[in-house]
């Protein structure tokens, strides 16, 4: 077996740079929802000593003085760029597994007979850079875990030009001896600490452990990792994107909220968003849940969190049905005199269209008449970029909505926000 | 997270179940003979876009390419997978911003406007020139 792992370098920050050539060498950070903390940073920002998850207000002044540029997260842009990277990979490799928004595993079976593997890696890297504008690093190895080791090397050592082929055992051992065990795929913080206590500090040391000992002391999952580090492939390619089993939309408010009207608006807004996602997956749900909670970190405040679910009489993806459900829940879980900071809507128990056995006596066993067409029309208008249709329940002022002070335009998904050239 | 059980949400909010009384007759008929002839509507994306992953849209501001039929406000279709060649219209990065110009490689490398008002931009070193993609179509609306 031969696998490759293709990983985008500083993905969010690189997305922002595609449309901003002036930022090519500047430090760039991307902030979390509500511009709270740093969730992505470019190499240049790392070199300034900025760390992931650092609160924005702490680094803001100095970062800007040093010429840095910050962005609020622009998920429309990131999702579009991600799908372009994946589409490009689909054309280059026979089989791919989309592992996350910025990583994919490729099955390179058959490719080694046509060309050198590191050559193939460079081809992936150059094509994605040229077509999409995204820098990536590529790791190649006989197992997925070793492909991850290779990719670690490709990212860390600039001499590699972003491509490392770990087909040979000698190179595997050399790189593993330089790699901290905590960086190995599947080794989390806790396991890392326990391994360190046993005197295991590098990937190589882990690969030389007795399998039975690891299985007994840790888990069979870590045993599998050891096998994979030794070059025995245990984890195959997972090509099928699993159908989502639930959809969650939750957000932190920009300020504390104390009244039911605002909670209702927020929850309705999230519900409409969740329904859009549900319709995109062509699914219907029968359970809608809502939660609201106060800010755990404000010790001086009274704390409360509430959650409740609503069983719908028939599977639906009609925003009006879900709105009705979530509003009746939020009324029940709301409490006076609390400072709420976050709310969320969760849809679950999914059905394909027409699969559900309807209740013979339910009055609307098929949902609202013309509902499907209405929802399709709304989705079409909202995705056209020409206008927005929203439900009155979502509110107009949205004083609770997220702060996104530094958001870049949706260059690639909205006609009104295209890049302007002279 | 703590969960407070506050009773069943359905008990008071759901409307009473109405049991249907079937009186309808069933209609039987021939399918439309036109069904066989239904065609897909014309899709401009299919005509204009060759490589979706590598294609971006950008909007033009100004009249520097007017003689190439690229007006102010036109939308350009840019394919990054097409290698830019001599005399092609390209999107290039100059001084940190993107610009649309005709690429000339001989005898000297330069970017030329399609409007006599603007003089050509000479590129001293080829390494300073960064081409983001080739323009494959322009959409002007009137």
């Amino acid at each position: 077996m031969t696998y490759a792992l293709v990983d985008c370098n500083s993905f969010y920050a690189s997305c922002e740079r595609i449309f901003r050539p002036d930022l090519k060498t500047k430090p760039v950070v991307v902030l979390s929802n509500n511009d709270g903390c740093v969730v992505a940073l470019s190499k240049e920002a790392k070199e300034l000593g900025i760390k992931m998850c650092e609160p924005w207000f702490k680094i803001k002044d100095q970062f800007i003085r040093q010429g840095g540029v910050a962005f609020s997260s622009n998920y429309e842009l990131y999702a579009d760029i991600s799908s372009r990277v994946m589409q490009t990979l689909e054309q280059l490799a026979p089989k791919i597994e989309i592992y996350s928004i910025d990583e994919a595993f490729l099955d390179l079976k058959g490719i080694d007979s046509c060309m050198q593997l590191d050559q193939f890696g460079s081809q992936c890297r150059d094509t994605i850079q040229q077509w999409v504008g995204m820098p990536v690093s590529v790791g190649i190895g006989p197992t997925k875990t070793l492909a991850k080791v290779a990719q670690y090397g490709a990212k860390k050592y600039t001499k590699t030009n972003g491509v490392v082929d770990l087909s040979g055992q000698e190179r595997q051992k050399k790189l593993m001896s330089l790699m901290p065990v905590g960086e190995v795929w599947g080794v989390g913080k806790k396991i890392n600490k326990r391994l360190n206590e046993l005197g295991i500090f590098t990937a190589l040391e882990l690969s030389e452990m007795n399998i039975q000992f690891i299985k007994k002391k840790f888990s069979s999952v870590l045993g599998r990792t050891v096998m994979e580090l030794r070059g025995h492939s245990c984890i195959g390619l997972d090509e099928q994107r699993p159908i989502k089993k639930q959809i969650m939309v939750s957000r932190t408010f920009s300020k504390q909220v104390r009244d039911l009207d605002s909670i209702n608006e927020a929850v309705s807004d999230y519900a409409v968003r969740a329904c859009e996602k549900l319709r995109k997956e062509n699914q219907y749900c029968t359970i809608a849940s809502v939660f609201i909670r106060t800010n755990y970190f404000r010790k001086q405040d009274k704390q409360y969190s509430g959650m409740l679910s609503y069983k719908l009489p028939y599977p639906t993806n009609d925003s009006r049905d879900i709105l009705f459900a979530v509003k009746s829940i939020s009324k029940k879980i709301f409490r006076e005199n609390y400072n709420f900071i976050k709310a969320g809507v969760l849809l679950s128990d999914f059905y394909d269209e027409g699969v559900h056995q309807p209740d013979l006596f339910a009055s609307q066993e098929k949902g609202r008449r013309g509902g499907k067409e209405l929802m399709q029309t709304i989705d079409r208008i909202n995705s056209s970029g020409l206008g927005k249709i929203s439900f009155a329940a979502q509110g107009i002022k949205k004083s609770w909505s997220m702060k996104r002070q530094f958001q870049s335009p949706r260059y690639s998904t909205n006609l009104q926000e295209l890049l302007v050239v002279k | 997270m703590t969960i407070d059980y506050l009773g069943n949400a359905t008990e008071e909010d759901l409307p009473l179940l109405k049991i249907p009384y079937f009186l309808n007759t069933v209609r039987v008929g021939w399918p439309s003979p036109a069904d066989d002839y239904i065609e897909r509507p014309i899709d401009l994306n299919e005509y204009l876009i060759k490589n979706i992953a590598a294609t971006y849209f950008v909007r033009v501001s100004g009249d520097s390419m007017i003689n190439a039929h690229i007006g102010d406000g036109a939308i350009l279709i840019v394919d990054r997978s097409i290698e830019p060649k001599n005399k092609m219209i390209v999107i290039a990065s100059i001084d940190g911003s993107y610009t649309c110009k005709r690429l000339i490689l001989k005898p000297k490398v330069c970017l030329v406007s399609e409007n006599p008002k603007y003089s050509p931009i000479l590129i001293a070193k080829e390494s300073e020139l960064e081409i983001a993609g080739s323009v494959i179509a322009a959409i002007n609306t009137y």
Side-chain angles (χ1 to χ4, degrees):
Chain A
M1 300 300 289
T2 311
Y3 293 102
L5 175 69
V6 178
D7 186 17
C8 300
N9 300 343
S10 313
F11 179 65
Y12 293 171
S14 299
C15 286
E16 299 289 352
R17 275 182 172 159
I18 293 176
F19 299 90
R20 292 281 303 272
D22 57 311
L23 301 181
K24 206 174 159 194
T25 53
K26 285 196 180 145
V28 173
V29 297
V30 176
L31 306 174
S32 62
N33 290 342
N34 279 318
D35 298 339
C37 54
V38 173
V39 290
L41 57 173
S42 71
K43 201 179 84 212
E44 295 76 10
K46 266 178 216 159
E47 283 164 6
L48 289 179
I50 293 167
K51 299 253 159 19
M52 277 291 250
C53 305
E54 226 163 339
W56 171 233
F57 75 87
K58 265 193 186 163
I59 60 158
K60 186 168 148 187
D61 292 336
Q62 201 186 356
F63 182 65
I64 290 171
R65 222 176 309 123
Q66 287 168 320
V69 179
F71 290 95
S72 307
S73 2
N74 182 348
Y75 290 109
E76 287 94 341
L77 177 66
Y78 309 152
D80 178 64
I81 301 298
S82 170
S83 94
R84 287 166 185 264
V85 171
M86 301 309 168
Q87 281 178 44
T88 307
L89 286 174
E90 299 265 12
Q91 296 185 43
L92 294 168
K95 282 185 190 168
I96 93 164
E97 172 194 345
I98 298 173
Y99 184 64
S100 71
I101 190 165
D102 60 352
E103 291 170 285
F105 283 106
L106 319 179
D107 182 348
L108 302 191
K109 200 188 288 168
I111 286 182
D112 44 352
S113 57
C114 328
M115 65 196 298
Q116 295 271 314
L117 288 173
D118 55 347
Q119 232 171 43
F120 173 80
S122 301
Q123 190 193 332
C124 280
R125 190 169 183 271
D126 296 346
T127 309
I128 294 171
Q129 175 66 54
Q130 181 60 52
W131 290 16
V132 189
M134 173 61 58
V136 300
S137 31
V138 183
I140 297 168
T143 69
K144 280 169 119 179
T145 308
L146 280 171
K148 273 256 187 192
V149 173
Q151 187 267 326
Y152 166 85
K155 202 170 244 180
K156 182 147 177 140
Y157 304 106
T158 44
K159 246 187 8 200
T160 61
N161 260 326
V163 180
V164 168
D165 171 19
L166 278 192
S167 299
Q169 265 196 344
E170 211 171 299
R171 299 193 72 191
Q172 287 169 17
K173 285 196 170 156
K174 190 171 168 216
L175 184 50
M176 281 197 289
S177 71
L178 296 168
M179 183 179 183
V181 71
E183 298 282 346
V184 172
W185 192 35
V187 176
K189 253 195 193 136
K190 252 185 170 164
I191 296 178
N192 181 35
K193 207 175 146 225
R194 283 177 59 203
L195 287 169
N196 287 171
E197 281 163 10
L198 289 170
I200 303 166
F201 294 97
T202 68
L204 185 65
E205 285 164 348
L206 177 62
S207 76
E208 286 165 350
M209 291 300 290
N210 180 297
I211 294 263
Q212 295 312 321
F213 173 80
I214 290 287
K215 278 188 180 166
K216 222 168 94 189
K217 271 269 185 190
F218 292 87
S219 64
S220 57
V221 178
L222 194 65
R224 210 171 56 173
T225 301
V226 173
M227 291 295 285
E228 284 242 321
L229 285 176
R230 292 182 191 171
H232 306 292
S233 179
C234 309
I235 310 167
L237 206 68
D238 197 359
E239 285 175 84
Q240 281 238 307
R241 195 178 62 99
I243 291 181
K244 288 197 179 115
K245 294 276 172 8
Q246 49 186 31
I247 287 174
M248 163 84 106
V249 175
S250 70
R251 303 266 192 278
T252 308
F253 305 138
S254 57
K255 57 173 195 212
Q256 293 172 11
V257 166
R258 293 175 67 87
D259 61 301
L260 178 60
D261 286 345
S262 298
I263 294 275
N264 262 334
E265 268 184 27
V267 161
S268 302
D269 199 50
Y270 307 162
V272 169
R273 184 77 197 99
C275 288
E276 273 171 23
K277 289 188 181 182
L278 186 61
R279 290 194 291 270
K280 237 188 195 156
E281 300 273 326
N282 279 321
Q283 294 288 303
Y284 294 72
C285 78
T286 67
I287 292 180
S289 317
V290 176
F291 76 83
I292 53 176
R293 69 164 173 81
T294 51
N295 189 348
Y296 307 137
F297 298 107
R298 279 178 62 94
K299 297 277 184 263
Q300 65 271 39
D301 281 6
K302 280 191 298 177
Q303 298 295 321
Y304 165 77
S305 77
M307 176 165 183
L308 211 58
S309 299
Y310 188 112
K311 173 100 169 65
L312 292 139
Y314 48 88
T316 178
N317 60 19
D318 190 312
S319 303
R320 294 167 297 175
D321 294 333
I322 306 294
L323 279 174
F324 173 80
V326 299
K327 276 204 287 185
S328 59
I329 303 172
S330 67
K331 200 167 67 196
K332 290 198 179 221
I333 57 179
F334 179 76
R335 296 283 181 279
E336 293 283 356
N337 299 321
Y338 284 94
N339 296 322
F340 289 103
I341 194 66
K342 189 168 189 173
V345 168
L346 178 77
L347 304 180
S348 49
D349 192 25
F350 289 177
Y351 294 87
D352 287 330
E353 184 171 11
V355 166
H356 179 68
Q357 178 73 52
D359 183 344
L360 177 60
F361 298 119
S363 55
Q364 300 172 319
E365 69 270 25
K366 277 198 171 140
R368 301 167 189 253
R369 252 186 75 204
K372 191 175 171 189
E373 289 75 14
L374 177 63
M375 291 304 130
Q376 278 172 351
T377 308
I378 292 176
D379 289 345
R380 210 163 37 233
I381 292 171
N382 285 346
S383 65
S384 70
L386 295 172
K388 270 274 183 243
I389 289 192
S390 57
F391 292 84
Q394 289 171 262
I396 292 164
K397 273 205 303 216
K398 302 191 184 181
S399 60
W400 39 268
S401 73
M402 281 200 295
K403 270 186 280 187
R404 281 179 165 189
Q405 223 182 319
F406 318 106
Q407 189 163 47
S408 53
R410 290 166 291 174
Y411 296 108
S412 58
T413 53
N414 192 308
L415 269 185
Q416 309 304 312
E417 300 180 17
L418 295 181
L419 177 76
V420 175
V421 298
K422 282 199 176 137
Chain B
M1 174 180 302
T2 57
I3 295 175
D4 283 7
Y5 182 72
L6 301 165
N8 191 340
T10 58
E11 37 190 51
E12 59 202 67
D13 298 315
L14 260 190
L16 269 181
L17 217 55
K18 291 185 191 132
I19 296 176
Y21 180 47
F22 296 99
L23 268 179
N24 299 13
T25 50
V26 179
R27 246 177 283 166
V28 190
W30 291 99
S32 161
D35 276 355
D36 274 355
Y37 297 93
I38 294 173
E39 294 232 26
R40 278 185 310 143
I42 288 168
D43 183 359
L44 278 179
N45 287 325
E46 216 170 275
Y47 171 64
L48 293 168
I49 298 177
K50 310 284 179 277
N51 184 346
I52 292 181
T55 302
Y56 291 92
F57 294 167
V58 300
R59 194 179 290 279
V60 173
S61 144
D63 59 356
S64 75
M65 292 301 281
I66 195 74
N67 289 343
H69 310 288
I70 297 174
D72 188 25
I75 291 178
L76 302 179
I77 302 178
V78 181
D79 190 333
R80 296 181 55 119
S81 66
I82 295 177
E83 196 194 333
K85 297 205 179 86
N86 190 26
K87 292 189 181 171
M88 271 166 67
I89 297 174
V90 298
I91 301 295
S93 142
I94 293 280
D95 295 332
S97 70
Y98 284 125
T99 181
C100 173
K101 294 284 173 290
R102 198 179 286 284
L103 174 69
I104 301 293
L105 294 172
K106 287 175 240 175
K108 278 185 177 156
V109 180
C110 58
L111 295 170
V112 183
S113 298
E114 288 283 348
N115 185 337
K117 273 201 318 206
Y118 306 94
S119 41
I121 306 165
L122 269 167
I123 310 293
K125 268 189 270 163
E126 223 170 296
S127 58
E128 278 170 21
L129 179 67
E130 203 172 304
I131 309 276
S134 307
V135 176
I136 57 167
I139 304 169
N140 296 286
T141 48
Y142 308 105

